[in-house]
Amino acid sequence: MRRLTGVVGVAVSLALALSSCGDGNSSNGSGSGDKSEIIAIAADPLDYINPLNENGSPGIQVAMAVFAPLVTTDPNTGKLQNVMADSITPDKTSQTWTIKLKPGNTFQNGQALTAKDYVDSWNMTAQGSNAWKNNGFFSKVDGYDALNPPTPDGATPKPTSVKTLSGLKQVDDLTFTVKLKVPFSQFGLTLQYLGLAPLPEEVRKNPDAYKRKPIGNGPYKLAADWNAGDDIKLAKWDGYKGPNAPEAQSITYRFIANADTAYNEFLAGNVDFVDVPPTKVKTFKSDAPDGWVTAVSSGANYLVIPAWDARYKNPKLRHAFSMAIDRKAFADLVGLSDPAKGLIAPDIDGYRDNACKYCDYDPAKAKQLLQEAGGFSDPVMISYNTTSATGQIFAEAIGNMLRQNLGLTVKYAGKAGSEITTLADTRKLDGLRFGGWGHDYPSIEDYLTPMFKSNGDANFAGYNNPALDAVLAKGDAEPDQEKAIKIYQQAEDIALEDMPLIPLYTKSNAYLHSAKIEPRVSKYVGVSALYATFK
């Protein structure tokens, strides 16, 4: 599950590891005996469902039910498992990959699922002028640059005469090849990312007409007309032939902007599953003593510094900000959290304890670094998400540390999370904001390329360092996984030295579930209400 910017203290990752759980005997629920469930999502209602144009947590949660990936991580073994793919085969250099689809799969409109659907859908996403959010995923494919000409920072590329990636080739109805610019040993692992799901031909012809009428290839289809602000009602689709089909016959996703309100809806018996918001981490076990689950998140949370703002360009200034933050106190305030010690989630291969030498709390050293950086006379602006009950509290906690330990003037700006993201993406946001990341596939590379590569599709800070790009490319080309991890760690070291993102904390997430369901819990792919079993 991907980025969540402008927000702090909210779950951003699907990859979770079990920590503990209640016995599941809560009396809450939306009914008994039927295999239906209502899942609350604490976010503004979606405007559309299109996994190729979505890298935010709420939209991907729904898309997971409607669309199926090429491969997935097996929840029982942790090994890569084919879903729509029959085989994925690299050449000797890991630069050209052959993807063969299983026969007999269709979309929910009856159209056969073919290699052409993937090739055409990926080409649409790679076309920079479409401004689809998962465009950056295709930056490693031959021909990407022709579809994405140099563009001023924050602007959308203009349409090009070239409309297809030269590295994508359809071989036959069920086979296509992907030639990358350079070898990339992690590519097969990346194909479980839902942002690569195909769109059927009728949707590709007019995507806007299907914004609220998605036609997927996954286990659920739209069960009722969906208008802006409505619950999203899904019904099990009998045409799904992939592995690990969910048990529920119907699922309703209910969007509730305020996380505390969503939590209270669960306590009132109106929903079957909800994330525990930061305001309730001290009380959820007593609020629902028999219906809770906690899990360690494979996510990381940061303070984002705008690399496009010259006032923040001195690394010593960023180091000073980092060392002025008491991470233990802040993690205690967030709840179910631990101080971050690097840019990588602790359960990912390649994580190093205390990788970040500027993450120790040392106000005296922070003051010294600020002086060496020439000081900072302007007010520091911190933006926070007004739809989060704790957004202002957390912003002020960080602001107070900067004020008290560095003598800075701090101001705050409360905005909707979507507005913060838009302002940052267009380089118009003043000052700092919070950001979070949860991987799309379990690799240290996925904590580095999206956020720190110069054209990364979740480069929150607008950061650009050719030296880091070169190290990432070297890691990508290394077929030996252990050697590749060592190289990726070098890239992490560069990012920590430049520090466009200040690591803050890693956290456990907590969830409440009704008595009629038992969420699936896997140390490999996490806690899922979508794949709950019914009692």
Side-chain angles (χ1 to χ4, degrees), residues 343-474:
L343 298 169
I344 311 301
D347 62 335
I348 295 295
D349 286 345
Y351 170 81
R352 294 168 295 164
D353 200 19
N354 295 315
C356 178
K357 62 183 178 182
Y358 302 111
C359 291
D360 293 331
Y361 178 51
D362 189 337
K365 179 66 174 176
K367 240 177 224 185
Q368 176 189 334
L369 288 168
L370 181 64
Q371 291 174 351
E372 292 175 4
F376 194 90
S377 58
D378 293 343
V380 176
M381 182 70 73
I382 302 178
S383 294
Y384 64 88
N385 186 354
T386 53
T387 63
S388 167
T390 53
Q392 183 174 356
I393 295 171
F394 295 161
E396 290 178 350
I398 294 293
N400 285 337
M401 293 176 192
L402 298 179
R403 179 176 54 79
Q404 293 168 6
N405 296 325
L406 296 176
L408 300 174
T409 300
V410 182
K411 294 183 178 181
Y412 307 94
K415 299 179 177 68
S418 57
E419 183 182 355
I420 293 173
T421 299
T422 298
L423 287 170
D425 287 348
T426 55
R427 309 297 186 252
K428 296 177 182 177
L429 186 72
D430 178 19
L432 316 182
R433 73 193 190 283
F434 295 103
W437 183 256
H439 63 252
D440 305 311
Y441 46 92
S443 169
I444 182 176
E445 181 271 337
D446 195 43
Y447 282 84
L448 297 170
T449 297
M451 290 183 291
F452 300 102
K453 190 176 180 180
S454 57
N455 62 349
D457 63 353
N459 190 330
F460 303 146
Y463 169 70
N464 185 344
N465 185 337
L468 184 142
D469 289 351
V471 174
L472 285 176
K474 184 179 177 183

Side-chain angles (χ1 to χ4, degrees), residues 28-34 36 269 272 514-516:
N28 291 344
S30 58
S32 60
D34 64 318
S36 65
D272 294 297
S514 68
K516 72 175 183 178

Side-chain angles (χ1 to χ4, degrees), residues 182-454:
V182 294
F184 183 36
S185 60
Q186 310 287 307
F187 185 72
L189 194 62
T190 72
L191 295 176
Q192 61 191 294
Y193 178 43
L194 195 68
L196 305 179
L199 301 177
E201 183 177 11
E202 67 175 278
V203 176
R204 297 195 304 268
K205 288 180 178 178
N206 188 1
D208 286 344
Y210 290 87
K211 287 173 61 175
R212 297 195 182 96
K213 298 188 294 183
I215 299 173
N217 63 326
Y220 293 91
K221 63 181 181 180
L222 205 63
D225 289 344
W226 170 41
N227 299 308
D230 288 352
D231 291 349
I232 299 176
K233 298 179 180 180
L234 305 177
K236 197 164 190 177
W237 178 51
D238 293 336
Y240 177 70
K241 299 178 181 178
N244 305 318
E247 191 173 313
Q249 291 298 316
S250 63
I251 294 177
T252 298
Y253 288 96
R254 180 162 297 166
F255 288 81
I256 303 171
N258 184 283
D260 284 354
T261 302
Y263 183 87
N264 290 332
E265 283 291 288
F266 174 86
L267 297 181
N270 296 326
V271 300
D272 294 297
F273 185 86
V274 69
D275 288 14
V276 173
T279 54
K280 305 297 182 182
V281 295
K282 308 286 199 232
T283 63
F284 71 90
K285 292 181 182 179
S286 57
D287 289 342
D290 300 320
W292 56 267
V293 173
T294 61
V296 178
S297 168
S298 287
N301 296 270
Y302 315 97
L303 189 65
V304 183
I305 300 180
W308 64 85
D309 189 333
R311 295 175 300 169
Y312 295 94
K313 70 178 181 179
N314 192 321
K316 287 187 176 181
L317 175 72
R318 301 193 287 271
H319 301 161
F321 280 23
S322 179
M323 298 190 80
I325 295 171
D326 185 342
R327 285 169 176 76
K328 178 64 170 61
F330 190 71
D332 289 345
L333 176 65
V334 172
L336 290 174
S337 300
D338 294 304
K341 300 177 179 180
L343 298 169
I344 311 301
D347 62 335
I348 295 295
D349 286 345
Y351 170 81
R352 294 168 295 164
D353 200 19
N354 295 315
C356 178
K357 62 183 178 182
Y358 302 111
C359 291
D360 293 331
Y361 178 51
D362 189 337
K365 179 66 174 176
K367 240 177 224 185
Q368 176 189 334
L369 288 168
L370 181 64
Q371 291 174 351
E372 292 175 4
F376 194 90
S377 58
D378 293 343
V380 176
M381 182 70 73
I382 302 178
S383 294
Y384 64 88
N385 186 354
T386 53
T387 63
S388 167
T390 53
Q392 183 174 356
I393 295 171
F394 295 161
E396 290 178 350
I398 294 293
N400 285 337
M401 293 176 192
L402 298 179
R403 179 176 54 79
Q404 293 168 6
N405 296 325
L406 296 176
L408 300 174
T409 300
V410 182
K411 294 183 178 181
Y412 307 94
K415 299 179 177 68
S418 57
E419 183 182 355
I420 293 173
T421 299
T422 298
L423 287 170
D425 287 348
T426 55
R427 309 297 186 252
K428 296 177 182 177
L429 186 72
D430 178 19
L432 316 182
R433 73 193 190 283
F434 295 103
W437 183 256
H439 63 252
D440 305 311
Y441 46 92
S443 169
I444 182 176
E445 181 271 337
D446 195 43
Y447 282 84
L448 297 170
T449 297
M451 290 183 291
F452 300 102
K453 190 176 180 180
S454 57

Side-chain angles (χ1 to χ4, degrees), residues 1 4 8-21 57 61 273-278 280-281 284-285 292-301 334-338 437-438 505-512 521 526-527:
M1 187 124 8
L4 191 58
V8 67
V10 182
V12 296
S13 177
L14 285 181
L16 309 169
L18 175 64
S19 172
S20 58
C21 61
S57 173
Q61 287 188 61
F273 185 86
V274 69
D275 288 14
V276 173
K280 305 297 182 182
V281 295
F284 71 90
K285 292 181 182 179
W292 56 267
V293 173
T294 61
V296 178
S297 168
S298 287
N301 296 270
V334 172
L336 290 174
S337 300
D338 294 304
W437 183 256
Y505 64 94
T506 59
K507 74 185 299 288
S508 292
N509 298 319
Y511 311 87
L512 303 185
V521 179
V527 176

Side-chain angles (χ1 to χ4, degrees), residues 50-66:
N50 177 355
L52 293 162
N53 189 24
E54 181 59 81
N55 59 14
S57 173
I60 287 181
Q61 287 188 61
V62 178
M64 285 181 66
V66 179

